[in-house]
Amino acid sequence: MTKFLNRPEDAVTESLRGFARAHADLVHLEDQPRFVRRKTLTPGKVALISGGGSGHDPMHAGFVGRGMLDAAVPGEVFSSPSTEQILAAAEAVGSDAGLLCIIKNYAGDLMNFEMAMELYDGPNASMVVQDDVGAAGGSATVGRRGVAGTVVVEKIVGAFAEQGGDLEGCRLLAESVAAATRSMGVALGGCRVPTSEKPNLELPLGEMEIGVGIHGEPGRRRGPITSADAIVEELMETLLADMQPKAATPLLLFINGLGGTPPMEQYILYDAAARILDAKGLTVARSIVAPLCSSLEMPGASITLTALDDQMLALWDDPVHTPGLRWGV
Amino acid sequence: MTKFLNRPEDAVTESLRGFARAHADLVHLEDQPRFVRRKTLTPGKVALISGGGSGHDPMHAGFVGRGMLDAAVPGEVFSSPSTEQILAAAEAVGSDAGLLCIIKNYAGDLMNFEMAMELYDGPNASMVVQDDVGAAGGSATVGRRGVAGTVVVEKIVGAFAEQGGDLEGCRLLAESVAAATRSMGVALGGCRVPTSEKPNLELPLGEMEIGVGIHGEPGRRRGPITSADAIVEELMETLLADMQPKAATPLLLFINGLGGTPPMEQYILYDAAARILDAKGLTVARSIVAPLCSSLEMPGASITLTALDDQMLALWDDPVHTPGLRWGV
């Protein structure tokens, strides 16, 4: 037990209570059923909601605020939120302008968001993020998982909704951003859900899981930890082969810490990734290095690339004011 | 080896290179000798510099920018920067208005900053942060160490310098903020310097070090890990006994992750600390929950309290734009 906990089964409740109090200027926590919403809604705006298992902070509750989400629906750690929670969040923030659900591609999330939208009485649309190219054969089965690229979708579409984008416009933009985004992760160790005594990923000391999922799901290869440069090269080759960006395309390069990897190493990975893009004549237009889609205390990181167009670039730069991401305001 | 590294001895060099590139809009990295400076200096402003061993990101290089530092001088991991580095940084950013050195209380930092200021040809002053109440008998020997409270000093004095505060005013304010600030940490495990095979703190699984320093220095007590509430109570009792804040005093409550503790647990600690302050009738005026003064990948956290006066409160809220802390701009 190397965690700060009271009763392990209260971890999400206590953490959200602390989160809501620390950020009371921005968010409000509802508890029966549980969701996090903006303190002040913008009338007439398309509402954006997302959600999923907890343990990926600041995703998603940390992205509730001006320029991103209107509500986030946290499940228990690594468990989907219930239909009841999602419906309550939708009813609290949905408007006549419509409600867009941004869903990561996991069976439980998909099912519960879909059921909630069947019960929700108002204009709505849903889209699914599946940016993870890490798992071997993933697309042959249930498709790719949604991981850190979800943050990019939420930021860019959040800015568009704030500017008055309509529901269909928000949905189409979200699909475009998702289609322009690829992510791949690597773990150097596991993480442990508070209520479990067993780690989610059993990785022998000195081994790494290339292509790991954000819940410790297996990737495409396990082997001895190699140099940072070699690891980044393997991730970048896979990402670039899948996405095939043009030389002039402005890329967003996003190094995402998975929780247990300190900034020093995240910047070493960034340096390696930027050098690879330079060598290929590709264009790094925007950079972000931060643990925005984490996996509890997992030592590891992921790389996300988004091929931005002019609209996405401008929307990325637009002001955002949330507990987890803030600029321009 | 569960770190992302190429040659371990290149870790600081590669990380700073990635950092400087990712934040090229804000900072510039000099390499012979090494320091990080603002890309654009404000003429006529008192310059603020700080520095110390690397491994505490975002402290200090991540606090270079508008409203905080003008330069940061990073040593190797957990090692003081050289006199030569500090002097070069001072000469690069020092102005006729003066230069203030914000120094954490460690022998190497003190010695090298002092020697650099003997060689520096311009108006300057220095102050020493010693906010750590964690070590048993620390004040009887070399005094208290400087830890996360340094971030509060840099933020508040940085805003004051930006508004045109003079050198003596900046120094006096820095002393006031430092005198109003107390910190105490706890580790649930160790961390390891990249070039070493041995952890900095050897902590048996399931034990914690109460009062730990940011390099894994021993605190005041080692024992089995208890509940989050019990741990926070122990830290808060020590902090409050030492600082004796009045009920109406607006407190800054700062929960600082040491690196390996995820946001979920940092917010559990925040929740516990806020409940204790409530029960004592004390006033939480501002809150921040983030790993701002980390210890590589150490699982652990510290609590910092600052008794703000009206001036400090306004300066805390003032806009800041650095890689590691940003609001209002």
Side-chain angles (χ1 to χ4, degrees):
Chain A
M1 171 80 137
T2 52
K3 288 178 184 283
F4 293 107
L5 294 172
N6 292 304
R7 291 199 323 156
E9 53 272 39
D10 294 337
V12 173
T13 300
E14 292 182 9
S15 176
L16 281 171
R17 193 169 62 198
F19 168 83
R21 177 165 175 168
H23 304 288
D25 54 329
L26 291 174
V27 303
H28 178 73
L29 172 66
E30 292 284 346
D31 213 43
Q32 297 291 341
R34 175 185 294 159
F35 63 91
V36 173
R37 51 163 281 180
R38 285 197 207 187
K39 193 179 168 196
T40 311
L41 297 176
T42 308
K45 188 185 83 71
V46 171
L48 263 52
I49 71 170
S50 190
S54 292
H56 306 298
D57 307 276
M59 193 174 83
H60 297 278
F63 301 134
V64 172
R66 179 174 154 195
M68 281 184 90
L69 300 177
D70 293 271
V73 194
E76 285 299 315
V77 178
F78 293 180
S79 297
S80 296
S82 70
T83 299
E84 186 195 13
Q85 287 175 267
I86 298 165
L87 179 60
E91 288 175 342
V93 303
S95 76
D96 291 346
L99 175 82
L100 178 65
C101 300
I102 299 173
I103 309 168
K104 299 196 302 303
N105 190 28
Y106 297 97
D109 291 357
L110 284 169
M111 186 175 72
N112 292 349
F113 267 95
E114 188 179 328
M115 284 174 60
M117 287 308 102
E118 278 173 18
L119 298 167
Y120 174 66
D121 183 24
N124 69 86
S126 293
M127 64 79 59
V128 180
V129 184
Q130 26 194 339
D131 55 316
D132 189 356
V133 303
S139 54
T141 54
V142 292
R144 292 170 171 177
R145 302 175 288 233
V147 291
T150 314
V151 182
V152 183
V153 175
E154 292 177 2
K155 167 66 189 84
I156 290 176
V157 182
F160 187 64
E162 211 72 50
Q163 293 179 1
D166 68 11
L167 180 59
E168 182 61 4
C170 287
R171 190 190 66 78
L172 287 172
L173 178 63
E175 296 285 4
S176 299
V177 177
T181 299
R182 303 286 185 284
S183 300
M184 186 163 166
V186 51
L188 307 186
C191 64
R192 191 170 60 72
V193 171
T195 50
S196 166
E197 283 307 313
K198 249 190 59 171
N200 252 46
L201 170 68
E202 306 251 24
L203 204 50
L205 191 69
E207 297 219 341
M208 64 179 174
E209 182 78 29
I210 291 269
V212 71
I214 57 173
H215 312 91
E217 297 97 331
R220 59 178 60 201
R221 182 174 87 74
R222 179 174 292 195
I225 297 175
T226 54
S227 71
D229 280 357
I231 293 169
V232 171
E233 191 175 350
E234 186 167 351
L235 301 188
M236 291 292 283
E237 289 299 332
T238 309
L239 290 165
L240 292 171
D242 198 88
M243 109 188 264
Q244 302 278 349
K246 294 194 179 64
T249 302
L251 294 175
L252 168 66
L253 171 56
F254 166 25
I255 305 293
N256 176 60
L258 286 178
T261 284
M264 176 177 291
E265 295 170 49
Q266 294 171 39
Y267 283 113
I268 289 173
L269 298 175
Y270 173 84
D271 180 62
R275 279 187 276 116
I276 288 171
L277 292 172
D278 288 349
K280 292 184 185 292
L282 293 165
T283 308
V284 182
R286 294 293 181 274
S287 300
I288 187 161
V289 182
L292 298 179
C293 168
S294 61
S295 302
L296 297 171
E297 70 279 6
M298 185 185 284
S302 62
I303 302 177
T304 294
L305 290 174
T306 300
L308 300 162
D309 62 22
D310 290 347
Q311 181 194 25
M312 294 177 197
L313 192 71
L315 292 166
W316 175 261
D317 289 343
D318 226 42
V320 59
H321 187 179
T322 70
L325 210 59
R326 181 171 183 182
W327 56 72
V329 63
Chain B
M1 172 81 136
T2 51
K3 289 179 183 281
F4 293 107
L5 294 172
N6 292 305
R7 290 199 323 155
E9 53 272 41
D10 294 336
V12 173
T13 299
E14 293 181 9
S15 176
L16 281 171
R17 193 169 61 199
F19 168 83
R21 178 166 174 166
H23 304 290
D25 54 328
L26 291 175
V27 302
H28 178 73
L29 171 66
E30 292 285 347
D31 213 41
Q32 297 291 342
R34 177 185 291 159
F35 63 91
V36 173
R37 50 163 282 179
R38 285 198 206 186
K39 194 179 168 196
T40 311
L41 298 176
T42 308
K45 189 184 84 70
V46 170
L48 264 50
I49 71 172
S50 190
S54 291
H56 306 299
D57 306 277
M59 192 174 83
H60 296 276
F63 301 135
V64 172
R66 178 175 156 193
M68 280 185 92
L69 301 177
D70 292 86
V73 194
E76 286 298 316
V77 178
F78 293 0
S79 297
S80 296
S82 70
T83 299
E84 185 195 11
Q85 287 175 268
I86 298 165
L87 179 60
E91 288 175 342
V93 303
S95 74
D96 290 346
L99 174 83
L100 178 65
C101 300
I102 298 172
I103 310 167
K104 301 197 299 304
N105 190 28
Y106 297 97
D109 291 358
L110 284 169
M111 188 175 70
N112 292 348
F113 267 96
E114 188 178 329
M115 283 174 60
M117 286 307 103
E118 279 173 18
L119 298 167
Y120 174 65
D121 184 23
N124 69 86
S126 293
M127 64 79 58
V128 180
V129 184
Q130 25 195 339
D131 55 316
D132 188 355
V133 304
S139 54
T141 54
V142 293
R144 292 170 171 176
R145 301 175 289 234
V147 292
T150 314
V151 181
V152 183
V153 175
E154 292 176 2
K155 168 66 189 83
I156 291 177
V157 182
F160 186 63
E162 211 72 52
Q163 293 180 0
D166 67 12
L167 180 59
E168 181 61 5
C170 286
R171 189 189 67 78
L172 287 171
L173 178 63
E175 296 285 4
S176 299
V177 177
T181 299
R182 302 286 185 286
S183 300
M184 187 163 165
V186 52
L188 307 187
C191 64
R192 191 171 60 72
V193 171
T195 50
S196 166
E197 282 307 313
K198 250 190 61 171
N200 253 44
L201 169 69
E202 306 252 25
L203 203 52
L205 192 70
E207 298 219 341
M208 64 181 174
E209 181 79 30
I210 291 268
V212 71
I214 57 173
H215 311 92
E217 297 97 331
R220 59 178 59 202
R221 182 173 87 74
R222 179 174 290 195
I225 297 174
T226 55
S227 72
D229 280 357
I231 292 169
V232 171
E233 191 175 350
E234 186 167 352
L235 300 188
M236 292 292 283
E237 289 299 332
T238 309
L239 289 166
L240 292 171
D242 198 88
M243 110 187 263
Q244 302 278 351
K246 295 194 178 65
T249 301
L251 294 175
L252 167 67
L253 171 56
F254 166 24
I255 304 293
N256 175 61
L258 287 179
T261 286
M264 176 177 290
E265 295 170 49
Q266 293 172 38
Y267 283 113
I268 289 173
L269 298 176
Y270 174 84
D271 180 62
R275 279 188 276 115
I276 287 171
L277 293 172
D278 288 349
K280 292 185 185 291
L282 293 166
T283 309
V284 182
R286 294 294 180 275
S287 300
I288 187 160
V289 182
L292 298 180
C293 169
S294 61
S295 302
L296 297 169
E297 70 280 7
M298 186 185 282
S302 63
I303 304 178
T304 294
L305 290 174
T306 300
L308 300 162
D309 61 23
D310 290 348
Q311 182 194 23
M312 294 176 198
L313 192 72
L315 291 167
W316 175 262
D317 289 344
D318 226 43
V320 60
H321 186 179
T322 70
L325 209 60
R326 182 173 182 179
W327 56 71
V329 63

